[in-house]
Amino acid sequence: MNDSTGNKLSITSSLLIALAAVLFVVSIFFPWWKMVFWAPQYPEGLNIIVYPNKLDGQIDIVNGLNHYIGMRNFSEKNFPELSYLSYLVWGLAAITLLTAILRKKIVLYILIGVIVIGGILGVLDLHNALHDFGTNLSPHAPIKIAPFVPPIIGKNQVANFITHSLLGPGTYFLLAAFVLLLIPLWKDRKRK
């Protein structure tokens, strides 16, 4: 069928979009973010690993140490997003697959817009959580430290602990999926 508006995506672009849907699903099974804590007494490091549906790592040890500076516990209960985030990603994958089937540029534009907004909201949500954990310290804590905000990516030092915040493989799958969605916009830019 000839689409005179130039709104039809090529079969190759449709396949790239379908592959993006697969990568969205794959991302659910890998960590999206982690924080590694090093100190002289923990030379092997301690981890908080964040999947889209759970926390992993040495959470109990980190919580025990954070108690001394008055930081509240890291737990899935304190991150309600973990109860629904994987469902959002499954939904995103389904919409992406539908976009591949429809092969309409306008649908792809809308999908990319939704992903950009969702990504910005996700980053802001993580920043707000880190801000909340680092600045709402109990005044009754045994060790008094100045409030702090751990970075989303990068290095931070609190007392004798050096922390590194890193993106996990799941986030790289998300980013790769997003790039796959952008390629058809360039590839089919003059397609009529």
Side-chain angles (χ1 to χ4, degrees):
M1 177 185 280
N2 189 12
D3 187 345
S4 61
T5 64
N7 192 35
K8 198 80 166 170
L9 294 165
S10 68
I11 295 292
T12 304
S13 291
S14 182
L15 291 173
L16 290 173
I17 295 167
L19 181 57
V22 171
L23 291 180
F24 284 134
V25 171
V26 169
S27 78
I28 295 171
F29 303 98
F30 290 88
W32 282 17
W33 185 78
K34 75 175 184 176
M35 188 177 276
V36 184
F37 302 78
W38 281 286
Q41 64 271 41
Y42 295 101
E44 71 286 357
L46 300 170
N47 294 305
I48 291 179
I49 303 169
V50 181
Y51 288 79
N53 58 355
K54 67 178 181 177
L55 295 177
D56 202 357
Q58 294 85 27
I59 306 290
D60 291 340
I61 297 171
V62 171
N63 283 336
L65 294 167
N66 283 344
H67 167 76
Y68 290 105
I69 62 170
M71 183 182 285
R72 76 176 199 260
N73 285 344
F74 288 105
S75 71
E76 292 175 14
K77 181 183 76 174
N78 288 332
F79 293 95
E81 301 87 346
L82 299 178
S83 67
Y84 60 81
L85 190 54
S86 60
Y87 297 110
L88 290 178
V89 177
W90 277 104
L92 178 62
I95 293 168
T96 303
L97 189 57
L98 180 63
T99 302
I101 293 166
L102 294 175
R103 295 178 51 205
K104 298 283 188 185
K105 285 183 184 178
I106 187 66
V107 176
L108 180 58
Y109 284 125
I110 292 168
L111 174 64
I112 289 170
V114 167
I115 292 169
V116 167
I117 292 167
I120 291 169
L121 292 175
V123 169
L124 289 175
D125 185 58
L126 179 56
H127 172 76
N128 288 339
L130 292 171
H131 181 275
D132 187 44
F133 273 89
T135 58
N136 290 325
L137 303 175
S138 170
H140 308 294
I143 299 172
K144 308 290 187 230
I145 64 165
F148 64 99
V149 179
I152 291 176
I153 300 172
K155 179 179 169 184
N156 189 39
Q157 181 158 0
V158 177
N160 67 334
F161 276 86
I162 295 173
T163 64
H164 289 274
S165 302
L166 311 161
L167 298 179
T171 299
Y172 291 111
F173 283 119
L174 292 173
L175 292 171
F178 185 70
V179 169
L180 287 177
L181 295 177
L182 296 177
I183 291 172
L185 296 182
W186 174 80
K187 186 183 154 312
D188 292 349
R189 66 194 180 281
K190 294 181 181 173
R191 183 177 170 85
K192 296 286 185 193

